[in-house]
Amino acid sequence: MTTIGIVLCAMVLWGLAIVLLGGALVNPWIIGAIGFGLAAMIFPLFLRRIADENAGGTGRRVLRISIYFLLAVPTAISAIMGLNLAGGGEPVTVRAEIASKMTKKVNDYRQVGRRRVYRGSHNDYYLRLRLPDGREIDRRVATGVYATTRSGGSATVRYHRGLFGIDVIDSVGVSVKSRGSGKKRVRREIRRVPKRETGDAGQSRGVSEQ
């Protein structure tokens, strides 16, 4: 496999793993550690193959081992989360409390040749939701939803009970008041969106909580 092929394959696998982890109601580092453990369990088979192929020196062997874990870990994470979701039970809908509101300042960059040039910043808006069992989750919402909700309000959280006991959020619904009317409408927000978004478009710099 060429270098470009390895890079593309790694990007796809890690992207899939991040998407599947995005809605999980569990610390993603725990699933990452389990995925690394599974990859390490299979590693002796890969190590035997390296020894049989005469890899051509210590440096080349280290490179191959690094590539193995770079590809095997996200594959294991995706397999765990995929089986967890596929074999889970029926979706559960609960009423969550809006514990607090937060803003995160994000710096924006643009690519100029090989350099990233700062071009300003913007705010992302989040609600911290407290489930009936005490678990708390942070979810990014639109500016309008953030402005019309208050701490102490409520939201509807729909999630699946996974095969391995890992609950995965399907959707979050926030009730907001329409202008000029006393009635409320439910706005659906965030359908399996990663908890954190990073990339060339920006980097989180700070968090303020209201």
Side-chain angles (χ1 to χ4, degrees), residues 136-168:
E136 293 187 347
I137 55 175
D138 294 340
R139 279 298 177 267
R140 183 180 175 183
V141 296
T143 306
V145 174
Y146 182 88
T148 53
T149 55
R150 297 291 181 270
S151 297
S154 63
T156 301
V157 178
R158 184 174 182 267
Y159 65 91
H160 287 78
R161 295 189 180 278
L163 176 64
F164 303 132
I166 305 171
D167 296 335
V168 181

Side-chain angles (χ1 to χ4, degrees), residues 58-77:
T58 302
R60 192 170 182 84
R61 290 189 180 186
V62 171
L63 177 61
R64 290 191 176 187
I65 292 173
S66 300
I67 292 174
Y68 166 79
F69 280 101
L70 181 66
L71 300 178
V73 172
T75 301
I77 293 174

